[in-house]
Amino acid sequence: MNLLIMGLPGAGKGTQADFIVEKYGIPHISTGDIFRAAIKQQTPLGVKAQGYIDQGELVPDDVTCGIVEERLQQPDTKAGYLLDGFPRTIVQAEQLEKMTQKLNKPLDAVLNVDVDPETLVERLSGRFICKNCGATYHKLYKKTRVEGTCDVCGGHAFYQRSDDKPETVKNRLEVNLKMNTPLIDFYSQRNLLHTVNGNQPIADVTQEINQVLSDLH
Ligand code: AP5
Ligand code: ZN
């Protein structure tokens, strides 16, 4: 299954992606994760991307498209893939359409996680991440089972993403709000769009997504 999950920053794309990739055994391709790994290692890509991400701006289309095209050619995408956070502009969407046609891996569906913009600041400011395994939690909505201990790996150290500080969050939301409607139109014109209500508790959003995906078969 070839899927895309889209939504504003903090909508819950990464959270829902974890369930989808586990259920369908497909790789999770998150451009945000790819950039953060590159920044951590200070590769040439990371050095280039860091300035944009720290400002809450988008990394230029040519850089981002190149990475995805390369990633979609890896053998683990044979059974499908889940794109998360790409495309984010119409140029990227057009490029993706071209590359997936060329690779014979066209999208089967686009999941649009729709959340009221007012709740996103709270989602992002309460997010914390396990330093060891990258599992994502929220101080109100997704706590660890034992306080201070990661449910997944048992680690005890957590961090906040540097772009989750209030000044950056404001710009991220503005930048992404501008791009969101044209992208929704792009995929609804192609009859690929499935909008799910992301304002519900995490498990209810998962259930709605599962319903959409099982109806695709
Ligand atoms: P990226 O990493 O993609 O960030 P984003 O789109 O801003 O999205 P997030 O990862 O912040 O949020 P999410 O929707 O995954 O939410 P999550 O599940 O964690 O991109 C980062 C940056 O990289 C961009 O700003 C840009 O600079 C650059 N970039 C990336 N892709 C690019 C591209 N294609 N082109 C150009 N530049 C690009 O959930 C958030 C929190 O809420 C968590 O704490 C979670 O526990 C909680 N939560 C989740 N669901 C619920 C729920 N239903 N109820 C309550 N709490 C919930
Ligand atoms: Zn962990």
Side-chain angles (χ1 to χ4, degrees), residues 92-161:
Q92 292 181 11
E94 286 167 345
Q95 288 292 319
L96 177 67
E97 197 166 52
K98 273 193 207 142
M99 62 179 99
T100 52
Q101 267 165 13
K102 197 169 79 184
L103 297 167
N104 201 19
K105 294 172 180 170
L107 281 172
D108 296 310
V110 174
L111 299 161
N112 173 36
V113 185
D114 183 44
V115 177
D116 297 334
E118 307 84 73
T119 57
L120 296 173
V121 174
E122 194 193 25
R123 293 258 182 110
L124 295 171
S125 58
R127 171 163 60 187
F128 62 99
I129 301 167
C130 173
K131 236 181 190 162
N132 182 43
C133 75
T136 296
Y137 299 94
H138 192 282
K139 67 178 182 198
L140 299 176
Y141 306 120
K142 193 187 174 199
K143 300 177 183 178
T144 55
R145 279 194 295 270
V146 178
E147 200 183 335
T149 306
C150 175
D151 295 352
V152 178
C153 74
H156 295 292
F158 299 89
Y159 69 98
Q160 261 205 311
R161 259 169 57 176

Side-chain angles (χ1 to χ4, degrees), residues 7-16 30-33 35-36 49 52-54 56-61 64 68 84-89 92 115 122-124 126-128 136-139 141-142 161 163-164 172 176 197-203 205:
L8 293 169
K13 302 181 292 293
T15 302
Q16 298 302 329
S30 154
T31 39
D33 285 350
F35 290 137
R36 280 185 291 279
Y52 296 100
I53 292 183
D54 285 348
E57 293 293 332
L58 296 180
V59 177
D61 288 336
T64 312
V68 173
D84 165 1
F86 177 95
R88 239 175 249 241
T89 64
Q92 292 181 11
V115 177
E122 194 193 25
R123 293 258 182 110
L124 295 171
R127 171 163 60 187
F128 62 99
T136 296
Y137 299 94
H138 192 282
K139 67 178 182 198
Y141 306 120
K142 193 187 174 199
R161 259 169 57 176
D163 60 345
D164 280 349
R172 273 168 71 199
N176 284 278
N197 176 8
N199 297 297
Q200 318 170 75
I202 293 172
V205 182

